[in-house]
Amino acid sequence: MELTIEQALKSGVIAHNEGNLQEAERFYRAILKSQPAHPHANYNLGLIAVSLNKFALALPLFKLALEANPKIEQYWLSYIEALIKEKKFEDAKQFLEQAKKQNLSAENLYFMNAQINQNMGKLDEAEASYMKTLELKPDYAEAYNNLGNTLKELGRLDEAEASYRQAIASKPDYDEAHNQLLDCFFLQDKKSN
């Protein structure tokens, strides 16, 4: 019995959620054989590539998903984030401008803008964008963590520590924020000696 596209997608998502990436990829690729522009299959294949740190492979998949359905905010965010990881900052800025026209949430637009600026070394601009993000969404753990990273780069270790603590308060199991906080303690101790 042949699976419908919907059944194959559901099976792929189940395998994906269970961590069986090869099985999930097999279902997604089967969908793309009959519908090459299928947004969910392309997007989910892109997510598999990202989970393997293969951002260059994820980019065309995310772009196909985005072109097929530009109304889905997560497609924009994932595509822009993959561009940032590939250090394609000008492209990321260009797509961020296009995303604004799609009525993406303001906090996510500021967050993406902050990430671009941080990676371009524009730390003051990144800090301002993270602050605006947190003004709009006060429990955004990733924004607190990234703000802490920016403050740490600026040498403002006490403020960085406070930001990491806020990230952990918002998301207690946030391993990266815990690690960054420990690193901040180490740098503070080193600075005081």
Side-chain angles (χ1 to χ4, degrees), residues 3 24 52 67 103 114-115 132 152-153 158 173 188:
L3 291 177
L52 300 171
E67 289 169 350
N103 295 321
Q115 285 189 301
K132 187 66 177 171
K152 190 165 60 171
E153 282 187 64
D158 291 341
D173 62 344
Q188 287 170 324

Side-chain angles (χ1 to χ4, degrees), residues 147-168:
L147 174 60
N149 294 341
T150 301
L151 294 167
K152 190 165 60 171
E153 282 187 64
L154 289 167
R156 293 162 43 197
L157 298 177
D158 291 341
E159 292 173 75
E161 176 189 339
S163 194
Y164 294 133
R165 288 184 185 278
Q166 279 295 132
I168 293 166

Side-chain angles (χ1 to χ4, degrees), residues 51-72:
S51 72
L52 300 171
N53 291 321
K54 295 181 178 181
F55 299 100
L57 292 176
L59 282 171
L61 297 165
F62 287 155
K63 189 167 187 188
L64 284 168
L66 188 56
E67 289 169 350
N69 194 346
K71 299 277 185 230
I72 297 187

Side-chain angles (χ1 to χ4, degrees), residues 18 44 54 60 77-78 90 92 94 99-100 105 124 159 168 185:
E18 291 174 350
N44 290 346
K54 295 181 178 181
L77 299 174
S78 294
E90 292 305 319
Q94 178 186 354
K100 287 178 184 176
S105 65
D124 291 334
E159 292 173 75
I168 293 166
F185 290 151

Side-chain angles (χ1 to χ4, degrees), residues 28-157:
Y28 299 147
R29 291 207 182 278
I31 294 167
L32 294 176
K33 279 185 180 174
S34 66
Q35 290 185 16
H38 192 282
H40 296 304
N42 276 303
Y43 179 73
N44 290 346
L45 267 177
L47 289 179
I48 290 173
V50 164
S51 72
L52 300 171
N53 291 321
K54 295 181 178 181
F55 299 100
L57 292 176
L59 282 171
L61 297 165
F62 287 155
K63 189 167 187 188
L64 284 168
L66 188 56
E67 289 169 350
N69 194 346
K71 299 277 185 230
I72 297 187
E73 183 169 21
Q74 193 55 50
Y75 292 176
W76 286 97
L77 299 174
S78 294
Y79 186 63
I80 293 167
E81 199 165 329
L83 287 168
I84 293 168
K85 296 285 188 187
E86 281 295 299
K87 300 187 183 332
K88 296 183 178 206
F89 304 124
E90 292 305 319
D91 290 341
K93 286 171 99 172
Q94 178 186 354
F95 276 92
L96 187 61
E97 286 303 312
Q98 291 178 30
K100 287 178 184 176
K101 297 172 188 162
Q102 293 294 326
N103 295 321
L104 267 62
S105 65
E107 66 268 12
N108 284 329
L109 292 172
Y110 280 109
F111 183 76
M112 286 293 154
N113 188 55
Q115 285 189 301
I116 293 167
N117 286 326
Q118 185 171 4
N119 280 278
M120 293 179 76
K122 298 178 180 179
L123 300 180
D124 291 334
E125 292 175 38
E127 178 186 4
S129 289
Y130 285 129
M131 295 302 284
K132 187 66 177 171
T133 302
L134 292 165
E135 184 181 306
L136 296 168
K137 189 175 179 185
D139 64 341
Y140 202 152
E142 290 80 5
Y144 279 115
N145 184 68
N146 289 3
L147 174 60
N149 294 341
T150 301
L151 294 167
K152 190 165 60 171
E153 282 187 64
L154 289 167
R156 293 162 43 197
L157 298 177

